[in-house]
């Protein structure tokens, strides 16, 4: 089924970069394992901004091995 929350809409193109950034950063949450597809030009262009904003909000990054400890 289609989801119309702005993240996945079947048959639609990727959102504009600023809209994608807003969707991603407004949905940060504790314990999140974020999957961003490397073949997405939007994700590739936004990665540095996503990491910066997450760190500014107090989030940390860890490998899956570190996360499991």
């Amino acid at each position: 089924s289609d989801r119309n929350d702005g993240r996945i809409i079947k048959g639609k193109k990727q959102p504009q970069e600023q809209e994608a950034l807003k969707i991603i950063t407004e949905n940060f949450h504790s314990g999140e394992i974020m999957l961003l597809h490397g073949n997405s030009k939007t994700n590739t262009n936004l990665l540095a901004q996503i990491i910066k904003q997450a760190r500014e909000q107090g989030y940390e990054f860890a490998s899956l091995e570190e996360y499991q400890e």
Side-chain angles (χ1 to χ4, degrees):
S1 70
D2 292 354
R3 288 174 42 188
N4 63 2
D5 61 3
R7 288 180 276 192
I8 300 172
I9 301 175
K10 192 182 290 184
K12 300 288 182 182
K13 293 183 178 183
Q14 294 182 28
Q16 296 293 321
E17 287 186 8
Q18 290 307 308
E19 179 62 21
L21 183 63
K22 179 180 176 186
I23 292 166
I24 292 167
T25 57
E26 287 182 356
N27 288 287
F28 287 151
H29 60 275
S30 182
E32 178 172 6
I33 297 175
M34 186 181 301
L35 172 65
L36 298 174
H37 298 277
N39 62 342
S40 163
K41 184 177 179 181
T42 300
N43 289 346
T44 301
N45 291 346
L46 293 176
L47 185 57
Q49 291 178 65
I50 292 167
I51 292 170
K52 180 178 184 270
Q53 287 192 28
R55 286 184 171 148
E56 286 174 352
Q57 292 182 34
Y59 292 99
E60 297 177 357
F61 292 83
S63 68
L64 288 176
E65 291 82 17
E66 294 171 318
Y67 184 75
Q68 291 176 344
E69 293 177 357

